[in-house]
Amino acid sequence: MKEQSHNIEKSFCALVEKAKTTPLSRPEQTFVDVYHALGFIQCEGLHGFFGLIDDDFTRIGNSFKAAALLDCSRIVAQAHDLWKTHCGESHSQEIDAFRTTYDIELTQIEEQFYDQESNIMTSLENFIKIHSLNDPD
């Protein structure tokens, strides 16, 4: 697991560097989106995640699907529906108020997402192999 995590992080860092000068291919962007979303959700919870990425939700949701993480895509879509219900058309709502209003629902959804972490890491490792995303060194 530790080697798997190292390979994923190494590929992620290489792609982030590449993105500074060159547009990423669709598989590369998918990999970056999924790994980046996992990190945000682990650190900020789903309420913080939507406060940070709301405009990119469709792309990120599609990235979970492209990485064969359909359960994760569904889970994130559930949380996004709550976000849209809370914010309406104005995305200026306080994130803490969102968490307070939907605490029970978000906790349940987050637990489902966290249960998928092993699947996410395995999928990302497979994604590296299938799409040859290994660090070039």
Side-chain angles (χ1 to χ4, degrees):
M1 180 75 165
K2 195 175 234 180
E3 182 180 334
Q4 178 189 43
S5 181
H6 175 73
N7 289 340
I8 292 168
E9 187 172 326
K10 188 175 177 182
S11 293
F12 175 77
C13 291
L15 290 172
V16 168
E17 283 300 312
K18 177 183 177 181
K20 290 178 182 178
T21 59
T22 308
L24 298 178
S25 69
R26 183 67 196 135
E28 291 170 333
Q29 188 63 56
T30 293
F31 179 85
V32 168
D33 286 346
V34 169
Y35 191 63
H36 202 220
L38 173 63
F40 268 135
I41 293 169
Q42 287 174 326
C43 293
E44 300 290 330
L46 285 167
H47 67 293
F49 175 68
F50 288 110
L52 296 169
I53 61 95
D54 190 62
D55 293 339
D56 293 330
F57 172 76
T58 300
R59 189 191 78 232
I60 292 169
N62 288 337
S63 290
F64 275 106
K65 288 179 188 173
L69 293 164
L70 300 179
D71 285 340
C72 293
S73 179
R74 178 190 50 77
I75 290 164
V76 172
Q78 285 177 312
H80 190 249
D81 288 344
L82 292 176
W83 177 250
K84 290 188 300 189
T85 298
H86 179 72
C87 295
E89 294 303 313
S90 149
H91 296 288
S92 63
Q93 296 290 326
E94 286 291 321
I95 292 171
D96 290 338
F98 173 58
R99 180 70 204 195
T100 300
T101 302
Y102 293 103
D103 184 54
I104 293 170
E105 295 92 336
L106 285 170
T107 298
Q108 292 171 344
I109 294 169
E110 284 171 352
E111 287 173 5
Q112 291 174 37
F113 186 86
Y114 297 143
D115 287 345
Q116 295 295 315
E117 185 173 353
S118 176
N119 293 340
I120 294 169
M121 296 302 281
T122 298
S123 178
L124 289 173
E125 184 71 23
N126 290 335
F127 210 76
I128 289 169
K129 292 173 188 169
I130 292 167
H131 296 284
S132 303
L133 301 180
N134 291 315
D135 189 27
D137 61 36

